[in-house]
Amino acid sequence: MKPNPQQPNTLPPSYFDEVYQANKDPWQFETSPYEREKYAASVAALPRAHYSTAFEIGCSLGVLTEQLAPRCGHLLAVDVAEAPLERARQRCAHLPQVEFQLLQIPQAFPAGQFELIVVSEVGYYLSPEDLQLARQKIVHALLPGGHLLLVHWTPPVHDYPLTGDAVHEFFLQEAYPLGPLAPVHAERHDTYRLDVLVRQ
């Protein structure tokens, strides 16, 4: 993918710092029935009961993190903003298997490989070029037989570089027979979609 000056840019960490400064729970992760149902569907869609190593990109306040943790031996959860990370650390303080880091994907990426990688409501914040780099690093970090969980809001949002559908279709381009990922589960709801892919 060649650089295109007309392509939208990845939303910077300062965007999220300002959003969380204005509202501690800007997307109502803690209170919305929609979010509660979506989190339950996300966890229920995981093909395996337990993952030794897991990586959640864009954990925000840690609401989904807390629900993923019982299924994980070790769960690394990262975000680009410190304010929600502090709330997430408090929320998951009783879960010793959870580790939090301030990290901007794809510019930084953790070492090691994972049996589960979760990209939930975060892919559309990236430019197409950054999403391509993130996809490369995610595929490399996913162990053979490991699962990638994608969950995204599908209606377009003016501020966001991409739509949820664009993010999912971008990852599905890596599906067999052309790529190393294979789809194993898909759901489409009124305002979000959920896909699980396996690393072959």
Side-chain angles (χ1 to χ4, degrees):
M1 186 180 298
K2 296 181 179 179
N4 181 350
Q6 295 182 336
Q7 284 183 343
N9 294 320
T10 293
L11 297 183
S14 58
Y15 174 93
F16 300 96
D17 290 336
E18 293 171 6
V19 166
Y20 284 105
Q21 188 174 19
N23 187 334
K24 290 183 177 180
D25 187 5
W27 290 281
Q28 299 182 310
F29 293 142
E30 297 178 323
T31 58
S32 162
Y34 161 78
E35 295 294 344
R36 187 164 55 248
E37 184 276 330
K38 186 185 66 180
Y39 291 147
S42 299
V43 175
L46 295 176
R48 281 154 53 183
H50 187 266
Y51 295 87
S52 295
T53 54
F55 177 36
E56 181 190 6
I57 299 174
C59 64
S60 185
L61 303 174
V63 181
L64 178 58
T65 314
E66 186 178 29
Q67 297 178 44
L68 290 169
R71 306 279 291 269
C72 303
H74 179 262
L75 171 58
L76 172 61
V78 306
D79 204 276
V80 298
E82 183 57 48
L85 274 177
E86 184 55 37
R87 296 276 298 280
R89 290 186 186 101
Q90 295 170 5
R91 180 186 311 281
C92 298
H94 63 293
L95 297 165
Q97 71 269 45
V98 179
E99 174 188 358
F100 291 100
Q101 289 184 18
L102 182 68
L103 204 66
Q104 184 178 3
I105 304 296
Q107 288 78 6
F109 206 91
Q113 291 187 292
F114 304 91
E115 293 182 352
L116 171 67
I117 297 180
V118 177
V119 183
S120 176
E121 307 291 11
V122 68
Y124 41 53
Y125 298 135
L126 301 179
S127 69
E129 287 184 304
D130 278 349
L131 185 64
Q132 181 184 45
L133 180 58
R135 182 182 67 183
Q136 292 171 354
K137 293 185 175 183
I138 287 168
V139 170
H140 180 74
L142 199 58
L143 285 163
H147 292 117
L148 171 62
L149 171 65
L150 302 168
V151 189
H152 288 86
W153 172 265
T154 48
V157 179
H158 174 71
D159 285 350
Y160 299 173
L162 295 168
T163 64
D165 277 320
V167 171
H168 286 234
E169 294 306 318
F170 195 73
F171 275 94
L172 286 166
Q173 290 173 8
E174 287 292 292
Y176 264 111
L178 301 178
L181 300 174
V184 294
H185 181 77
E187 299 178 21
R188 179 172 284 277
H189 299 261
D190 289 343
T191 53
Y192 76 93
R193 66 182 290 182
L194 183 158
D195 285 280
V196 181
L197 295 87
V198 65
R199 177 73 158 91
Q200 298 284 21

